[in-house]
Each structure stands twice: as structure tokens, then as C-alpha cells.
């Protein structure tokens, strides 16, 4: 059956709102047609540069404008990253995802270091993913040449609700970055967060934006907001497990070949709740005690859960062959010193402004 790329919000809402048992059955059936139901891809997320981000994302403790008691750090060294990657591999991860709290990639020494990190991890026979903010086509080509397997750039939410969450970057820039990645052989990882005060219509809207991409993203993270004190969303009520199950199942139905990633918020979920998400079509998780800055179940807990459920970690490069790494001295794509004009919509979001004021008061 061909993948459908013209989903409408109404069609997706109809799926999302089905009686739960019917929704689960349909999602589980589609999951089994496209994936091994007993295999789950395990990634480790590593914050290679933490805090100090200039953006105003309402959910994020790494935004410099909010007071969250987060300890920032400069860019890690290549050796530090290699040591963490080896630890992750020994614990059962097949992928390392490196995140830097940047608005966008800037050509220069730090980006050169990240390219070396990509080469180093790829040579360890692990899939490498990066999430570094917006990037140009040339920067995407340089990452691909270094051996990058996947690039993560979340849409976060629907285009309509996006302006209630972020005022410092535009939704179109997210799509442009994904388009730049698509001009290379790097796979796309893009999803979003539920529990930010959005409606079911907004959740469907986000899935429309993702599912109508052609090709659809190879990986779609579904995050549950983890409210952090000091951020504009610190008082949001956590989403229920039923909402997560519905979102995972709907994502599985509209993006049958995608790996649906059960991401942030797992510490609030019971093993039974996570098992329902796996049944509904989630087949990827992040392991390790932190997701950038938010708590995550310990890797040993995850392996115990896998054992209880009869799940096996997916091997590296099972879905797509390992990219080759070109050493820096043989690179065809050079530092162009680009200074692209990414948009700054600049509208005002009241709760974001209130959180900034609170920071000034505390300071």
C-alpha cells in the first residue's frame, strides 16, 4: 500500500478521536505490516553545548532569557564526545544524537569540531544524529560528507499554534532547514511536543505538516512536555498517558514507514503505559538519564523493561546503510562563512514576556 502524502486535518482528527481500542488495533496492524513489532531503536541524546540559547521557546530551560538554574557549558571536546559515545554503545544504544543550544549553525571553529565529532562517532559503527538549529544547504552537505546519519529539526507544534510558543524564529525556517537536509543523503528526524496548551486540532495540524512532507521523515519524536520551573510553561498540566498513546497511534497510521520515537516525558509513564505506546507503534526511544536537560529513565531500567516485554534493541544501520566519512582534508564542501538571514517574527507572547520579567526580578 502506497504511503499517503495528502492527509487533511479533518482526516487525522477523525483517526485521533477513534474509540481507543479501535485506534490501537488499526495502529498495531499497520505497525506490523511495516516494522518488526519486537524491535525498538535505542538512541542516546548528548548535550554537547548546554544553555545560553538566544531563542524564546516557551518550553525550553536552555533559553538564556529564562531563570531555570540550568548549568550551561561550552562545546564539549571531540574526546569527551567519543568517551560518551563508547559508553552509550556499551549500554545498548545504536545511535548518538548530539544537541547544541544554538539558534542556527555558524561556520567556524565550533562547527568544524562538530564535524570531527560526527566523523569520530560514525567510525565507531554508530548512527550519528545532530540537532544544531537552522542550517544552510552547504552546512547540510558538510555534515553529510562527515558521515551524519540523521538531522533532527522538530516542528514543535502546528503552524497555527507555533506563534503561541516561539517568537524568535519562523515556522517556514523549520521547513527550509528540513528541505536543506533533504538535498543530501542524511535522513530527517522531525516531530514535536504535546502538552503545551495546544488543542487536538493543533496536534492534528502538526501531523499534517509532517505527513505531507515527501518523503515523510524517517523518524518522528513525540515528546510530552516536561514543565520546568522558570520557563513560561512551568505550570502546564502534564498530558495523560491516553493522550500520548493516541498521538503515537495516529502518527503510526499516517506515517506507516517512519520510526515513531517515544521521547521526553517517559519518566512520568509507567511501564504499562510505555508498553501501550510500543503496541500502538512507537519503535524508538532515547536511553540515558537525561534528554539534553530533562530527566529520563535510567538505561538499566529500560533494558529491564525490554526484557519483560520481549523487545530487542535495533542494530545500527538496519534501515539504511552506513554513510562514509570523508576526512576534513579531502572535503569537497568548504566553510563559506555564510550569514543567512533566518527570520525573527518578533510578535509578543505574553507568558514568555512574564517569564523574562520573573528572571529579572530573581536576578
Amino acid at each position: 500500500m502506497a504511503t499517503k502524502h495528502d492527509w487533511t486535518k479533518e482526516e487525522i482528527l477523525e483517526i485521533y478521536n477513534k474509540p481507543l481500542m479501535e485506534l490501537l488495533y488499526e495502529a498495531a496492524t499497520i505497525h506490523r505490516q511495516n516494522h518488526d513489532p519486537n524491535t525498538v531503536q535505542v538512541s542516546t541524546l548528548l548535550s554537547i553545548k548546554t544553555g545560553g540559547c538566544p531563542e524564546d521557546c516557551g518550553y525550553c530551560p536552555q533559553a538564556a532569557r529564562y531563570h531555570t538554574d540550568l548549568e550551561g557549558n561550552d562545546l564539549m571536546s571531540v574526546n569527551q564526545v567519543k568517551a560518551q559515545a563508547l559508553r552509550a554503545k556499551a549500554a545498548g544504544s545504536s545511535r548518538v544524537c548530539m544537541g547544541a543550544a544554538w539558534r542556527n549553525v555558524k561556520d567556524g571553529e565550533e562547527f568544524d569540531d562538530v564535524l570531527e565529532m560526527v566523523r569520530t562517532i560514525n567510525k565507531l559503527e554508530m548512527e550519528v544524529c545532530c540537532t544544531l538549529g537552522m542550517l544552510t544547504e552547504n552546512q547540510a552537505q558538510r555534515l553529510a560528507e562527515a558521515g551524519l546519519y540523521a538531522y533532527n529539526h522538530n516542528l514543535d507544534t502546528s503552524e497555527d499554534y507555533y506563534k503561541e510558543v516561539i517568537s524568535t524564529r519562523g515556522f517556514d525556517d523549520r521547513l527550509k532547514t528540513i528541505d536543506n537536509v533533504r538535498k543530501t543523503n542524511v535522513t530527517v528526524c522531525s516531530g514535536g511536543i504535546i502538552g503545551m496548551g495546544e488543542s487536538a486540532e493543533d496536534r492534528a495540524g502538526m501531523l499534517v505538516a509532517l505527513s505531507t512532507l515527501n518523503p515523510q521523515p524517517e523518524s518522528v519524536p513525540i515528546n510530552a512536555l516536561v514543565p520546568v520551573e522558570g520557563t513560561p510553561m512551568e505550570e502546564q498540566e502534564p498530558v495523560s498517558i491516553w493522550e500520548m498513546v493516541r498521538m503515537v497511534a495516529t502518527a503510526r497510521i499516517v506515517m506507516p514507514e517512519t520510526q515513531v520515537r517515544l521521547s521526553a516525558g517517559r519518566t512520568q509513564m509507567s511501564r504499562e503505559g510505555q508498553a501501550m505506546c510500543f503496541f500502538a507503534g512507537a519503535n524508538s526511544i532515547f536511553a540515558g538519564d537525561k534528554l539534553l536537560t530533562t530527566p529520563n529513565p535510567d538505561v538499566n531500567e529500560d533494558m529491564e523493561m525490554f526484557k519483560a516485554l520481549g523487545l530487542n534493541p535495533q542494530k545500527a544501520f538496519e534501515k539504511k546503510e552506513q554513510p562514509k566519512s570523508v576526512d576534513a582534508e579531502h572535503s569537497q564542501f568548504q566553510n563559506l562563512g555564510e550569514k543567512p538571514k533566518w527570520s525573527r517574527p518578533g510578535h509578543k507572547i505574553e507568558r514568555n514576556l512574564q517569564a523574562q520579567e520573573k528572571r529579572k526580578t530573581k536576578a
Side-chain angles (χ1 to χ4, degrees):
M1 191 173 141
T3 300
K4 178 175 158 72
H5 290 280
D6 58 352
W7 289 100
T8 65
K9 191 189 287 188
E10 293 69 30
E11 287 172 325
I12 292 178
L13 263 177
E14 192 178 330
I15 294 168
Y16 181 87
N17 289 319
K18 279 187 177 190
L20 187 63
M21 296 306 158
E22 199 177 313
L23 176 62
L24 278 172
Y25 179 76
E26 185 178 345
T29 303
I30 288 172
H31 186 50
R32 278 155 177 71
Q33 288 166 355
N34 292 277
H35 306 271
D36 176 352
N38 297 317
T39 299
V40 174
Q41 193 276 324
V42 181
S43 298
T44 292
L45 188 54
L46 184 60
S47 183
I48 58 172
K49 189 269 173 187
T50 307
C53 183
E55 304 285 71
D56 77 334
C57 308
Y59 53 81
C60 187
Q62 300 208 60
R65 59 188 74 203
Y66 308 134
H67 184 80
T68 59
D69 295 327
L70 178 74
E71 276 190 40
N73 67 270
D74 295 332
L75 189 70
M76 292 171 74
S77 70
V78 175
N79 283 339
Q80 285 174 314
V81 167
K82 183 178 181 179
Q84 295 274 22
L86 286 168
R87 194 172 299 137
K89 187 175 183 179
S93 285
S94 60
R95 180 182 295 190
V96 171
C97 301
M98 297 187 286
W102 293 337
R103 168 178 164 80
N104 58 278
V105 173
K106 292 177 181 170
D107 290 336
E109 197 175 315
E110 287 197 328
F111 186 43
D112 291 343
D113 285 346
V114 171
L115 294 171
E116 199 53 45
M117 293 171 194
V118 171
R119 293 184 190 99
T120 300
I121 297 172
N122 188 43
K123 287 171 185 175
L124 297 177
E125 307 286 313
M126 295 184 81
E127 297 171 7
V128 195
C129 177
C130 282
T131 180
L132 311 168
M134 278 91 75
L135 81 168
T136 65
E137 184 181 343
N138 182 67
Q139 290 164 343
Q141 293 286 7
R142 293 180 74 196
L143 283 163
E145 200 179 45
L148 191 70
Y149 185 90
Y151 194 81
N152 167 264
H153 202 58
N154 288 338
L155 297 184
D156 291 341
T157 186
S158 69
E159 185 170 7
D160 289 340
Y161 196 67
Y162 190 85
K163 59 183 177 291
E164 303 297 325
V165 179
I166 303 153
S167 74
T168 53
R169 61 170 191 240
F171 192 82
D172 284 347
D173 287 342
R174 317 299 285 168
L175 297 173
K176 178 63 180 167
T177 292
I178 291 171
D179 187 49
N180 286 337
V181 173
R182 277 289 178 226
K183 291 171 183 169
T184 73
N185 64 350
V186 175
T187 63
V188 168
C189 175
S190 185
I193 307 168
I194 67 171
M196 299 191 293
E198 77 289 339
S199 63
E201 286 77 11
D202 289 312
R203 292 173 189 176
M206 180 180 81
L207 292 178
V208 167
L210 292 166
S211 64
T212 53
L213 292 171
N214 194 358
Q216 293 177 340
E218 285 82 356
S219 171
V220 169
I222 304 294
N223 297 276
L225 177 72
V226 178
V228 176
E229 189 177 346
T231 63
M233 296 186 178
E234 64 181 0
E235 292 176 9
Q236 284 294 137
E237 284 295 314
V239 294
S240 71
I241 187 62
W242 309 119
E243 291 170 279
M244 279 299 285
V245 169
R246 284 188 180 279
M247 195 66 183
V248 166
T250 307
R252 168 51 66 229
I253 292 166
V254 301
M255 292 176 280
E257 293 179 32
T258 293
Q259 293 211 269
V260 178
R261 190 180 293 277
L262 192 57
S263 301
R266 284 202 301 124
T267 47
Q268 278 81 43
M269 295 180 205
S270 66
R271 282 190 181 179
E272 294 84 353
Q274 291 179 70
M276 285 190 77
C277 288
F278 294 133
F279 183 74
N283 60 343
S284 183
I285 61 165
F286 285 112
D289 60 356
K290 271 193 178 177
L291 293 188
L292 296 181
T293 60
T294 52
N296 197 49
D298 178 77
V299 67
N300 294 327
E301 285 178 41
D302 284 333
M303 291 306 118
E304 282 174 21
M305 176 177 67
F306 274 32
K307 191 175 176 184
L309 299 177
L311 299 174
N312 302 303
Q314 181 179 301
K315 291 182 172 62
F317 312 113
E318 226 171 71
K319 297 284 184 180
K320 184 175 177 285
E321 67 179 30
Q322 182 178 8
K324 290 183 169 60
S325 287
V326 175
D327 290 333
E329 59 268 28
H330 302 303
S331 175
Q332 290 183 0
F333 296 92
Q334 302 302 319
N335 173 351
L336 299 180
E338 295 176 281
K339 293 183 180 173
K341 290 275 189 272
W342 299 106
S343 68
R344 293 182 184 274
H347 59 279
K348 290 181 169 47
I349 303 173
E350 200 54 44
R351 63 181 170 186
N352 291 15
L353 294 172
Q354 286 171 0
Q356 287 178 56
E357 284 304 314
K358 202 184 285 186
R359 179 185 185 275
K360 288 176 190 170
T361 307
K362 284 189 177 180

